[in-house]
Amino acid sequence: MRNTGTVSRGTPPAEAAAETLRQIGSATGISVWTWHALTDRVYHSATTIRGEALDQGVPLAAMLAKLHASDRARVRRRMHAAVRSGKSGAFRFRSLPTGGTVREYSAAHFPLGPNEVQVIVQDVTRTTLAERALRESEDHYRTAVDLNPEVMWLADPEGNIIEFGPRWLEMVELNTEETLGQGWASVVHPDDLEPTIADWTSSLNSGEPLDITYRIRLKNGDYRWMRARAAARRDKLGQIVRWYGTLEDIHDRRVAEAALRESEAFARSILEASTMAIEVLDGAGRLIFMNGPGIRIMEVESFEAIRGLPFEQFWPQDQRAVIRAAIAAAQQGQTVRHTLFGPTAKGKARWWDISLSPILGANGEVERLLALSRDVTEAKQNEAEVVAGAKRLEYLARHDTLTGLPNRMQFQEGMDAALLGLNATRTLAVLSIDLDDFKLVNDTLGHLAGDMLLREVAGRLNGCTSKRDLVARLGGDEFALLMPVERPEDAATTAQAILAALAIPFEIDGETVSIGASIGIAIAPRDGLTTESLLQYADVALYRVKSDKGRDFRFFEPAMDQALRERREMKRDLSLALGRGELSVVYQPQIDIGSNQLVGFEALLRWECAAHGAVSPMVFIPLAEESGLIDAIGAFVLREACAEATHWPETLSLAVNLSPAQFRNRAVVRTVTDALAETGFAPARLELEITESVLFDESAEALASLEELHRMGIRVALDDFGTGYSSLSYLRRFAFDKIKIDRSFVADLPGAEDSAAIVRAIIGLGRSLKTRVTAEGVESWEQLLMLRAEGCNEAQGYLFSPPLPRAEARAFAKAGLVASRSANDRRQRHG
């Protein structure tokens, strides 16, 4: 570090600064002292000034006792205010008379930190020469205030740091030697270093002042925003001899400014997203602002052309008195609201719901007015229609607005009335009608096409009924029919007519759409005598039809209700199965067809229920999805399988199925990562199997989850390929690692030409996409030989092994090479 005055290179920065201040005091009469507010002690940078001894560590009151009596209270207030505000400032005061002379002093104060103020005092009672010196001192003070330093620093003409304030060492993990020269740059944020050095170099070359911001790394590792400012000092020849700089912590201010900008952007977005005209008037009622939607709603060509005009001028003559009164009320602090007629700027007739409110300033006075104008022309027209007829509303309350059919309210009223008039000679049939594949139409063609389809369905239902029947839309794709019948067979005839009518393809927006229906029928008084019970029993019969693949009708039978109760009981037992230890995982080997080598296992869930015995996954997996238990069960399978797979050779992979329902709560990624973390299983060995319905049901969210899992190194396989709706589109949307041929295609090999063609096409597709293909359900050597000839990569099925308990799976994993005899033995042993 260069010598500055008499301070040597080895002098610590704090002592050097103190010595510099002492020399300044002796040479110029400037006194520098610091007040510590918490201890109420004043310390001077020098022990004497102009031969007068200065007391150290005295209370502020003792210091003030030396001031002119009329100045003491004012100076005390300024000092306390400086501590509270943390701001710099200046003031003047007078001393007690000495030798008959009262001397005046100029003082500049600025904060050193919380509860600590430094004050620079200079005698300003001298003659013109002293006044010039004072002006120079004041100029120096103004520069210091403008820079608002927290860390002061000095640099040589080449930009090397030669001195800096002690605050720097408190902030960063650098010592003095590491900071000097260019060492300070080591704590600058990597993203900010290059532009910071470039700006500093530019100032060094041009001599222009520096004012830049960048982040530095603090001792705790956090980065904070700083503002560095510097100015050059030149000699008489104009050569730069020093750079004087400061470093100011502006992090909180920058964060606040960013938050303010975000808040302002948010406010602007609200203004521009509003569906109403938002206008701001000055205190006199003249227009000074209108948001974008307001300009469009009001059909204004140019806002600048109307800026500053009285707000009342935009309204017809017969409305202006109301507007003037509203403005006057708002000017008095009231909020006024009216519904008024007023054409747009282009003369279009419009009704407006307008409110005028006061906008208060900081002093609590009304400074501006806020006008909100909402176009209520349509509502006004509707109001006129309502007045002309409180009936339209009654109609809407009792009818479905989309199809025009009676709604649930009217249907239940009709059932209540019909049941009241029921006698021994009259029979009622209630048909619960639900559309099959309606969701597919809605999802593939859009909701508008779905609405068109519902209207067409309503028309066909009306065509299958008589005037005495009541057809209603209860909601969604659910319809109902109430009809008096002489015998139950009449209801069956109508149900068959409805099924036939809805089986005819629909022409919707240029597309041919095929759907079907499922119908459940309840008969009164045979099945019940209340609206609630009959609707419930019709729904029970409908549910039975749905469970039997739909597109049929069934009458309610008491056994159906029993089956439903048993289903509920099974759901209850399933909810307890995990805690009872009834769920287990088995493992079916997956074989490389070319080498006959074991490559991995697929984990499969089994339930041995105490009440129901062995329950098929085809039965309990849908129950788990319906009841929301699939998340907990899926997490159990992942943990159990990953833990077991850690005992296999590291070359073997583990395949685990994921249910579409697991993607709906968007927690599937967390479930997988938790299982890997708990078991220590390598992500690269895990393969997740999903069906096309995962992407079909929750495409955007599911796709994002799958991509995140892929980035972790986890493989994803498309299970049951070819059985869904649009397989090829999913292969384009996501890069699957494996395609699995559904067992329904493999079962017919090699004899069935259609299945063989499908299998051949899937294998060829996998080859083109460089994706491995696995065939499921391989049970014969003929199937295996054909798959090998076509180039299928992997296979699994009873030809090799049934699903194995974990102990047998471990033994199988150690063997690795599949032998046909052992495979046949296992097949016979497990049936």
Side-chain angles (χ1 to χ4, degrees):
M1 187 173 83
R2 292 191 178 184
N3 290 333
T4 57
T6 61
V7 180
S8 67
R9 177 180 180 87
T11 305
E15 295 181 13
E19 177 61 25
T20 300
L21 292 174
R22 283 193 290 272
Q23 294 176 11
I24 292 174
S26 297
T28 65
I30 294 177
S31 172
V32 180
W33 52 275
T34 304
W35 176 49
H36 299 270
L38 288 179
T39 62
D40 190 29
R41 289 291 184 267
V42 178
Y43 298 89
H44 295 270
S45 60
T47 58
T48 63
I49 184 166
R50 297 193 183 280
E52 181 183 353
L54 300 175
D55 295 330
Q56 298 287 352
V58 298
L60 180 63
M63 184 75 174
L64 297 178
K66 299 180 180 181
L67 274 58
H68 196 283
S70 61
D71 292 342
R72 294 171 190 165
R74 177 170 53 82
V75 174
R76 181 185 296 108
R77 289 195 301 271
R78 293 299 298 270
M79 294 304 298
H80 283 282
V83 170
R84 289 195 301 271
S85 66
K87 295 182 179 178
S88 303
F91 58 89
R92 287 197 175 200
F93 62 88
R94 294 165 294 173
S95 69
L96 288 173
T98 56
T101 303
V102 176
R103 306 193 68 85
E104 291 192 5
Y105 294 88
S106 172
H109 67 81
F110 43 90
L112 293 181
N115 301 308
E116 191 173 17
V117 179
Q118 189 174 76
V119 182
I120 302 175
V121 179
Q122 185 176 15
D123 190 331
V124 294
T125 58
R126 295 189 178 184
T127 58
T128 305
L129 182 60
E131 290 175 354
R132 283 202 298 270
L134 174 61
R135 284 195 295 270
E136 291 177 0
S137 176
E138 289 175 342
D139 183 66
H140 175 73
Y141 162 70
R142 283 193 297 271
T143 302
V145 171
D146 289 340
L147 292 175
N148 190 19
E150 289 199 6
V151 177
M152 295 181 289
W153 52 270
L154 293 176
D156 65 15
E158 288 74 35
N160 297 305
I161 302 298
I162 59 176
E163 189 175 340
F164 53 87
R167 171 77 174 126
W168 171 260
L169 299 179
E170 297 174 6
M171 292 193 301
V172 299
E173 197 70 46
L174 293 179
N175 58 31
T176 299
E177 294 300 324
E178 291 170 334
T179 301
L180 296 176
Q182 300 295 329
W184 59 273
S186 64
V187 295
V188 176
H189 194 288
D191 294 344
D192 302 337
L193 182 58
E194 184 176 347
T196 298
I197 296 299
D199 289 339
W200 183 212
T201 303
S202 177
S203 289
L204 292 173
N205 292 335
S206 66
E208 294 295 322
L210 177 74
D211 191 343
I212 58 175
T213 59
Y214 53 84
R215 289 164 288 181
I216 66 169
R217 185 179 66 250
L218 304 185
K219 287 184 177 180
N220 62 6
D222 293 340
Y223 282 94
R224 286 185 73 83
W225 281 100
M226 298 287 168
R227 181 184 185 187
R229 293 188 285 184
R233 175 188 165 199
R234 300 176 185 271
D235 59 17
K236 294 180 179 180
L237 298 178
Q239 298 298 316
I240 296 176
V241 295
R242 284 286 188 275
W243 284 90
Y244 291 84
T246 60
L247 191 67
E248 178 187 4
D249 187 335
I250 61 168
H251 189 83
D252 293 337
R253 184 199 317 162
R254 189 179 179 105
V255 171
E257 289 172 349
L260 178 61
R261 287 193 298 271
E262 182 178 351
S263 176
E264 290 174 345
F266 179 66
R268 284 195 299 273
S269 68
I270 292 176
L271 285 174
E272 295 309 309
S274 174
T275 58
M276 65 175 64
I278 301 176
E279 302 121 330
V280 179
L281 317 179
D282 64 15
R286 293 183 293 265
L287 184 65
I288 59 175
F289 170 81
M290 179 183 290
N291 66 335
I295 291 174
R296 293 188 292 272
I297 293 170
M298 298 293 189
E299 298 187 321
V300 175
E301 291 289 346
S302 170
F303 176 71
E304 293 303 320
I306 62 173
R307 183 196 296 272
L309 295 178
F311 188 60
E312 65 179 80
Q313 186 172 321
F314 303 110
W315 296 88
Q317 287 288 350
D318 59 347
Q319 305 281 17
R320 292 185 181 179
V322 177
I323 293 296
R324 284 195 295 270
I327 290 175
Q331 290 169 336
Q332 297 300 315
Q334 303 177 35
T335 296
V336 184
R337 184 173 180 180
H338 294 289
T339 300
L340 302 175
F341 174 80
T344 66
K346 293 185 177 180
K348 188 177 293 183
R350 283 288 180 265
W351 283 90
W352 306 98
D353 177 8
I354 179 172
S355 67
L356 277 163
S357 305
I359 300 177
L360 304 182
N363 59 0
E365 298 294 328
V366 177
E367 288 189 353
R368 294 189 176 94
L369 305 179
L370 176 66
L372 302 177
S373 304
R374 183 167 59 93
D375 186 344
V376 294
T377 305
E378 184 176 353
K380 197 71 174 176
Q381 293 170 345
N382 290 341
E383 181 183 343
E385 293 176 1
V386 170
V387 172
K391 292 183 178 180
R392 174 63 178 168
L393 286 179
E394 182 182 354
Y395 176 86
L396 292 175
R398 296 165 54 81
H399 288 79
D400 173 50
T401 56
L402 178 64
T403 62
L405 293 177
N407 60 12
R408 183 182 294 271
M409 176 189 295
Q410 185 175 352
F411 187 78
Q412 290 179 337
E413 291 174 351
M415 282 191 68
D416 290 341
L419 290 172
L420 285 176
L422 201 63
N423 54 46
T425 61
R426 299 189 62 190
T427 302
L428 286 176
V430 179
L431 281 66
S432 182
I433 306 166
D434 191 81
L435 303 184
D436 296 330
D437 294 334
F438 176 75
K439 186 177 186 300
L440 175 62
V441 176
N442 228 16
D443 291 342
T444 55
L445 300 183
H447 292 289
L448 291 179
D451 290 347
M452 294 174 62
L453 177 59
L454 290 173
R455 285 192 287 267
E456 291 286 337
V457 168
R460 295 191 185 183
L461 289 177
N462 278 326
C464 297
T465 59
S466 64
K467 292 183 178 181
R468 63 178 185 171
D469 301 334
L470 179 61
V471 183
R473 181 190 176 209
L474 304 186
D477 61 346
E478 182 183 358
F479 295 83
L481 170 62
L482 176 66
M483 56 183 300
V485 293
E486 293 184 2
R487 52 183 186 167
E489 290 78 5
D490 296 338
T493 301
T494 301
Q496 289 171 334
I498 291 173
L499 293 174
L502 297 183
I504 301 172
F506 294 81
E507 292 295 327
I508 304 296
D509 200 20
E511 298 281 348
T512 300
V513 174
S514 295
I515 63 168
S518 300
I519 303 175
I521 307 173
I523 301 295
R526 181 184 71 186
D527 299 326
L529 287 172
T530 66
T531 297
E532 292 76 13
S533 61
L534 289 170
L535 284 174
Q536 177 186 345
Y537 293 149
D539 284 341
V540 169
L542 171 66
Y543 187 85
R544 172 59 63 87
V545 177
K546 284 285 190 181
S547 65
D548 293 337
K549 305 302 182 183
R551 304 195 181 223
D552 201 352
F553 73 92
R554 293 285 295 270
F555 283 93
F556 170 76
E557 299 170 3
M560 293 179 180
D561 200 31
Q562 176 63 27
L564 206 58
R565 284 194 294 271
E566 291 176 356
R567 185 179 179 85
R568 286 195 294 267
E569 291 175 4
M570 187 170 288
K571 278 187 181 181
R572 182 200 61 207
D573 291 337
L574 182 59
S575 68
L576 302 173
L578 267 178
R580 292 172 173 172
E582 296 178 351
L583 296 179
S584 62
V585 181
V586 295
Y587 305 89
Q588 185 168 38
Q590 296 178 325
I591 309 301
D592 181 277
I593 293 179
S595 65
N596 207 36
Q597 197 79 18
L598 176 69
V599 293
F601 291 87
E602 179 181 1
L604 300 170
L605 183 62
R606 295 293 183 261
W607 180 23
E608 188 68 31
C609 179
H612 306 283
V615 184
S616 168
M618 300 293 290
V619 174
F620 72 80
I621 292 297
L623 291 180
E625 291 174 336
E626 290 175 15
S627 59
L629 295 170
I630 192 64
D631 292 329
I633 292 175
F636 162 77
V637 174
L638 271 167
R639 288 195 306 270
E640 186 81 5
C642 288
E644 176 59 28
T646 60
H647 298 286
W648 305 339
E650 293 184 355
T651 57
L652 300 184
S653 64
L654 168 69
V656 180
N657 291 279
L658 292 182
S659 163
Q662 289 178 264
F663 285 83
R664 292 182 188 135
N665 62 6
R666 299 168 180 81
V668 67
V669 175
R670 179 65 179 272
T671 301
V672 174
T673 54
D674 284 351
L676 294 175
E678 291 177 19
T679 62
F681 190 62
R685 295 178 61 192
L686 180 60
E687 183 173 272
L688 300 176
E689 296 188 4
I690 67 168
T691 60
E692 297 169 6
S693 58
V694 168
L695 295 176
F696 180 75
D697 291 339
E698 300 286 342
S699 56
E701 293 82 0
L703 194 60
S705 297
L706 290 175
E707 289 172 346
E708 185 173 352
L709 293 168
H710 232 180
R711 287 192 293 270
M712 295 165 54
I714 297 170
R715 291 173 290 170
V716 181
L718 182 58
D719 199 11
D720 300 339
F721 183 76
T723 62
Y725 295 106
S726 43
S727 310
L728 296 181
S729 67
Y730 297 130
L731 292 178
R732 292 179 59 193
R733 295 176 63 187
F734 184 78
F736 287 95
D737 301 284
K738 181 186 289 186
I739 301 173
K740 300 195 72 175
I741 304 174
D742 187 69
R743 65 181 64 250
S744 62
F745 301 124
V746 176
D748 296 334
L749 297 181
E753 287 298 324
D754 53 350
S755 293
I758 293 173
V759 169
R760 192 176 295 116
I762 294 175
I763 295 173
L765 183 62
R767 188 183 303 114
S768 300
L769 295 175
K770 297 181 175 55
T771 302
R772 293 186 68 79
V773 178
T774 298
E776 294 181 304
V778 178
E779 299 188 356
S780 70
W781 285 106
E782 292 80 8
Q783 293 170 344
L784 180 63
L785 290 174
M786 178 185 173
L787 291 168
R788 177 181 292 171
E790 293 298 335
C792 184
N793 306 108
E794 299 173 6
Q796 66 184 82
Y798 276 78
L799 177 64
F800 309 105
S801 173
L804 302 172
R806 62 182 182 180
E808 294 188 33
R810 284 192 196 183
F812 201 107
K814 292 179 181 178
L817 187 66
V818 179
S820 61
R821 178 176 299 175
S822 61
N824 288 331
D825 291 345
R826 278 188 295 275
R827 183 178 182 185
Q828 292 173 1
R829 184 166 63 252
H830 290 278

